[in-house]
Amino acid sequence: MVISAQLFSFFTAGSLVIIGIFAALFLDNLIKKIIGLAFIGDGANLFIITMGYKPGGIVYIFLPNMTISNFAQNASYPLPFALVLTSIVIGASTLAVMLGLVIVLNKRHDSLSASKILGDESD
Amino acid sequence: MNVYDLILKRIREIQGKTEEEEPLTNISASSMLTAEITIISSLLIALIMVRLISKTLMIVLVIAVFFIALMISPIMPKLMREQNDSFSNMIFYIVLALGIIVALFYWGNLNV
Amino acid sequence: MDSLMPIMVILPIASALFLNLLHGKDRTIKILAIVTALVLPIIPLLTGYGSHYFGGYAPLSQNSAIAQGLPALITSTQLFVFHPSIVYVFGSAQKIMIFVLGIIAFFAIFTSLSETKKPSGVYTYLMFMGTAAVTAILLSDDIFNFYVFFEIAALAQIGIVIASNVKNNYETALKYIILGNIAGPLLLLGIALLLGVTGNVNITDIIYSIKNGYVNPQNPVLLMALALITFGWLYGSGLPPFHTIKSALYSKALPHGSALIQAITVFIMVALGVMILRIFSYLSFSKMAIIAISLLALVLSITMALVQTDFKRIIGYLALGELGYIGIGLGLGTTLGITAGLFQAVNEAIITAFLFIGFGTVLYKTRISDTRKLGGMMFVNPRVALLVLLAGLAMAGVPPLNAFQSKLMLIQASIQSGVPELGIIMILLSIVTFMTFMKAFYTIYMRPKPDELEIHDYKIPKATIISLVAFLIICLTLGLFPQIATNSLQTLASSLV
């Protein structure tokens, strides 16, 4: 059985999200938690890119020797690629803020354990 | 033992757990009691809205919840403990809420 | 098309970037920040209603120059009416909300500049950035643009908390950003599912596709999208289960920062709620879910407020409880209900800012926010105490202040919709809100001063008093003449039914 590239990609995106949520829930190390969170964002981004994929499609640039109907039928969908770029930038900036906070908190508590730093007394 | 004493006892228990040496003031006891009554009464009033779906179900639910609330009261100390600032608690309830919302919206809507 | 519309977003972003560069030059920062902040509420008043197409790309149906000579493949299908660019829509409801947001941002920045000894360019940068993001969220008709500014608003809120010198603020900020990084991508996933089904990110076009049968409205993927977007809504607006972290966030910022953060939260809640209603109102389940979540928010947040001891936390929980009223208004789904919900949002944003800045004077004088250690503040400054008391009365819904009008409308709307139970619960929780506030007020202002309490003899800045009086005037005006707000909000409400 041959799984199409698109379906496989959707499965990968879904498993990235689930692995990410698992890591955020169950791993105690803050850096590992943050890697898990990055996975969730990556899963969402991969999902969006996959939607723009069209089997056998062409690049969405209108070249001089094309007819409009041929272009409209075969070009892949350009919007997701534009969106995903923005979303990657957002993900990178939140990741930077998170890691910066972890650096500060690591200096203050001398630990990376979430239960120690973010426990009950830290309100 | 009446409900008031029961609540005071439970508040003392919780304060003992968090090792606070604060005396139990009248203000904190009465606000805890108000919160308790507010939760139970608004839950019961909200349950009356079930009448839009089925009247019998509403009566059964109201009576059942009333007795359950009497049995497990005081509720507020338990709720307070669950809604604390511990990160593991927060993330647990958030993922739980995600699960409930997705399940309800997805299957609830398909089968209504 | 009005060119002032994008200025509403561009001006705060541009001045934010400038202020960040100018960090250290105190006088310049002060003047520039106050002038820009003063302009913010004025722009929406001058802007004409309409839509703004970024890049000038209007839909083909409105753009005869390009539409000429295109093949029938495009002109005879729905492609002809779709919006090819990001669209901002400015109507009367957006006008009043952006005006109120601008007022709150102005007074928050004004008090922050006068209460801190050294004005911080970075802090004002964050406040302007948050304001710009929410303005864009209110204007945007594009669901992805919405998401981008949603994340910017979240980062601005976290930044405001990090920049505030409050104990344990880093821990709370990290908790919030981690939870945000679970909910944010899931909201994006919901948007992606909508994009996948309808092929569009413009809300008007998505509704067009659903209404005209290009998309099956009962498609399970749409239901999944609704679920994920609702989850993002819970995160953005601090409804349960996010109420604990959101109230912690409020309590870890300085009072003027909290005043702005809560305004950001209220308007994000309104914008996302309206978006959910616009797209998914054909599913009756969506309204039921909104009402159920709002009831939960009302009960859980207000009862939690009752048992708190930190007054910033008390106001935080009360503010989140008030969000439940807005949600019930939106969930009722009638014109009156939605108008009342939106009106309540406007009122709540003002009143909570009023309360935060008012109680902020206690923090300014004593550096303590624990009510158990406070007392006797009435004798220190009776006039401020009176203003704070009026703010509390406004929040509880006492006539002739503004929340009375919106809560009355909400109760009328719930009776009209055939669910008087919601009205009863709302009255009950209003009373509990009042009691919670009075408890905090009594312990801080009226009981005898504890011996160990030290009250610094800093003079409360004039700017703070001016802000409080201005908020009181707005509350009174909206309370006596609610038509000013309701007439403009009604247009949006009736378009949603």
Side-chain angles (χ1 to χ4, degrees):
Chain A
M1 198 180 97
V2 182
I3 304 174
S4 80
Q6 196 172 20
L7 198 60
F8 188 72
S9 193
F10 276 135
F11 274 123
T12 316
S15 30
L16 275 176
V17 171
I18 289 166
I19 292 169
I21 291 179
F22 177 85
L25 250 183
F26 293 110
L27 298 184
D28 192 49
N29 188 311
L30 274 175
I31 300 284
K32 287 184 185 170
K33 248 191 197 352
I34 289 173
I35 294 172
L37 295 171
F39 272 21
I40 304 179
D42 291 344
N45 290 341
L46 181 62
F47 184 85
I48 299 179
I49 292 183
T50 313
M51 280 189 321
Y53 172 76
K54 181 170 184 165
I58 56 171
V59 182
Y60 40 83
I61 298 173
F62 191 71
L63 296 171
N65 53 355
M66 278 181 192
T67 61
I68 287 185
S69 61
N70 186 25
F71 177 75
Q73 274 159 19
N74 289 318
S76 61
Y77 190 39
L79 191 56
F81 301 104
L83 300 186
V84 98
L85 201 63
T86 321
S87 139
I88 288 171
V89 174
I90 294 171
S93 51
T94 47
L95 193 66
V97 176
M98 271 193 287
L99 291 173
L101 279 171
V102 170
I103 291 171
V104 174
L105 289 175
N106 183 31
K107 274 188 190 149
R108 192 175 289 177
H109 295 264
D110 204 17
S111 152
L112 274 177
S113 152
S115 53
K116 210 167 170 185
I117 297 177
L118 307 177
D120 200 3
E121 273 88 60
S122 66
D123 61 325
Chain B
M1 194 189 266
N2 60 25
V3 181
Y4 186 75
D5 292 331
L6 206 70
I7 290 173
L8 287 191
K9 198 175 133 240
R10 292 302 277 271
I11 300 171
R12 279 211 188 85
E13 271 174 34
I14 287 188
Q15 280 197 341
K17 260 179 206 147
T18 50
E19 286 163 20
E20 278 181 50
E21 297 295 313
E22 297 280 329
L24 186 58
T25 58
N26 270 335
I27 293 181
S28 68
S30 64
S31 51
M32 195 71 115
L33 202 62
T34 318
E36 179 82 26
I37 294 167
T38 312
I39 282 201
I40 296 178
S41 51
S42 40
L43 184 68
L44 286 174
I45 299 171
L47 273 178
I48 298 179
M49 278 191 292
V50 179
R51 80 194 145 85
L52 298 173
I53 300 167
S54 149
K55 280 193 178 147
T56 357
L57 183 67
M58 182 267 282
I59 294 168
V60 172
L61 270 181
V62 168
I63 293 171
V65 168
F66 182 72
F67 280 107
I68 291 171
L70 273 189
M71 265 192 288
I72 62 168
S73 75
I75 306 170
M76 201 53 212
K78 289 174 198 148
L79 271 179
M80 239 180 106
R81 207 177 324 148
E82 290 305 311
Q83 299 181 75
N84 64 8
D85 285 315
S86 153
F87 180 71
S88 47
N89 251 346
M90 282 178 187
I91 202 163
F92 168 73
Y93 279 106
I94 280 159
V95 175
L96 186 71
L98 173 67
I100 292 174
I101 286 175
V102 169
L104 268 186
F105 277 63
Y106 196 74
W107 281 288
N109 245 319
L110 286 182
N111 298 325
V112 163
Chain C
M1 209 154 89
D2 201 312
S3 54
L4 271 177
M5 212 185 294
I7 298 285
M8 278 186 261
V9 182
I10 293 168
L11 179 75
I13 293 184
S15 64
L17 294 174
F18 257 121
L19 289 166
N20 196 17
L21 289 177
L22 290 172
H23 185 73
K25 296 192 175 90
D26 297 353
R27 265 190 76 84
T28 334
I29 288 178
K30 239 180 184 167
I31 295 167
L32 186 63
I34 288 182
V35 169
T36 332
L38 197 58
V39 176
L40 285 184
I42 299 173
I43 308 173
L45 298 179
L46 302 175
T47 316
Y49 300 145
S51 312
H52 180 85
Y53 305 109
F54 274 82
Y57 298 111
L60 288 173
S61 55
Q62 295 174 28
N63 202 341
S64 52
I66 299 178
Q68 240 173 11
L70 283 177
L73 186 73
I74 292 169
T75 53
S76 63
T77 54
Q78 69 268 36
L79 284 179
F80 198 56
V81 291
F82 276 175
H83 299 75
S85 66
I86 293 172
V87 182
Y88 277 6
V89 178
F90 186 71
S92 53
Q94 278 91 344
K95 185 180 191 166
I96 185 143
M97 285 184 200
I98 293 172
F99 171 72
V100 167
L101 176 72
I103 291 270
I104 294 170
F106 169 69
F107 284 120
I109 290 166
F110 191 40
T111 45
S112 90
L113 286 176
S114 54
E115 280 187 14
T116 44
K117 283 184 202 83
K118 242 174 98 64
S120 155
V122 183
Y123 190 66
T124 28
Y125 160 82
L126 289 162
M127 289 180 119
F128 273 117
M129 214 57 193
T131 317
V134 180
T135 313
I137 284 175
L138 285 169
L139 287 173
S140 180
D141 195 33
D142 181 291
I143 194 167
F144 189 78
N145 190 257
F146 189 103
Y147 168 75
V148 172
F149 281 107
F150 181 83
E151 289 285 343
I152 293 175
L155 278 179
Q157 294 176 48
I158 292 160
I160 289 174
V161 171
I162 293 174
S164 310
N165 187 15
V166 180
K167 193 170 167 264
N168 283 333
N169 57 342
Y170 288 104
E171 283 85 348
T172 306
L174 185 64
K175 282 182 206 169
Y176 187 74
I177 198 169
I178 290 180
L179 299 179
N181 259 278
I182 296 176
L186 288 172
L187 174 67
L188 177 65
L189 208 58
I191 292 169
L193 289 172
L194 266 182
L195 170 69
V197 177
T198 61
N200 240 311
V201 282
N202 186 289
I203 300 175
T204 315
D205 295 345
I206 291 173
I207 298 165
Y208 182 86
S209 303
I210 292 174
K211 289 235 165 92
N212 289 292
Y214 296 109
V215 173
N216 173 17
Q218 300 299 327
N219 190 335
V221 181
L222 275 179
L223 302 181
M224 190 73 184
L226 171 60
L228 291 176
I229 291 175
T230 310
F231 186 67
W233 181 58
L234 298 185
Y235 156 63
S237 42
L239 297 168
F242 290 93
H243 62 305
T244 43
I245 182 64
K246 199 81 191 192
S247 62
L249 199 69
Y250 287 165
S251 69
K252 294 301 169 214
L254 294 171
H256 28 83
S258 316
L260 190 64
I261 294 180
Q262 65 81 24
I264 292 174
T265 311
V266 169
F267 289 115
I268 286 180
M269 167 176 184
V270 169
L272 250 174
V274 166
M275 192 187 86
I276 292 174
L277 276 184
R278 277 179 74 190
I279 301 178
F280 296 105
S281 60
Y282 68 91
L283 293 168
S284 60
F285 189 78
S286 63
K287 286 176 197 159
M288 269 157 63
I290 289 178
I291 288 191
I293 291 165
S294 310
L295 270 180
L296 208 62
L298 262 178
V299 175
L300 285 184
S301 306
I302 292 179
T303 48
M304 278 303 282
L306 254 175
V307 294
Q308 297 299 318
T309 50
D310 182 313
F311 69 75
K312 284 200 281 184
R313 204 73 196 262
I314 293 177
I315 313 167
Y317 269 121
L318 281 183
L320 294 171
E322 298 289 298
L323 292 180
Y325 288 94
I326 307 170
I328 288 179
L330 294 177
L332 284 173
T334 56
T335 313
L336 183 64
I338 297 173
T339 314
L342 296 175
F343 187 31
Q344 169 72 16
V346 170
N347 292 341
E348 202 228 310
I350 296 168
I351 294 169
T352 316
F354 189 1
L355 269 178
F356 268 122
I357 293 178
F359 272 123
T361 56
V362 177
L363 201 67
Y364 185 75
K365 290 283 247 187
T366 62
R367 306 265 167 245
I368 292 173
S369 65
D370 190 339
T371 50
R372 286 172 297 190
K373 293 177 189 151
L374 286 165
M377 295 298 291
M378 182 76 101
F379 301 105
V380 180
N381 204 327
R383 265 175 293 175
V384 176
L386 178 70
L387 284 168
V388 173
L389 179 65
L390 287 172
L393 293 178
M395 183 175 245
V398 173
L401 295 153
N402 51 355
F404 164 70
Q405 296 285 358
S406 54
K407 287 189 179 174
L408 185 67
M409 274 173 80
L410 276 168
I411 292 163
Q412 282 170 344
S414 70
I415 293 171
Q416 262 185 25
S417 311
V419 271
E421 294 89 344
L422 287 177
I424 298 170
I425 294 177
M426 283 191 276
I427 295 173
L428 180 71
L429 287 163
S430 274
I431 298 167
V432 180
T433 305
F434 184 64
M435 184 198 153
T436 313
F437 170 76
M438 279 318 289
K439 191 193 117 199
F441 188 79
Y442 169 78
T443 45
I444 294 172
Y445 284 98
M446 286 155 76
R447 76 174 174 187
K449 177 174 162 298
D451 295 333
E452 62 270 29
L453 178 67
E454 246 181 84
I455 298 175
H456 305 286
D457 52 350
Y458 312 126
K459 210 168 165 305
I460 294 173
K462 279 217 173 61
T464 314
I465 309 282
I466 293 172
S467 312
L468 292 176
V469 173
F471 282 131
L472 179 65
I473 291 171
I474 300 172
C475 286
L476 270 174
T477 320
L478 283 177
L480 294 173
F481 310 102
Q483 309 85 339
I484 303 173
T486 48
N487 284 351
S488 10
L489 295 171
Q490 204 156 18
T491 341
L492 176 65
S494 50
S495 75
L496 289 173
V497 178

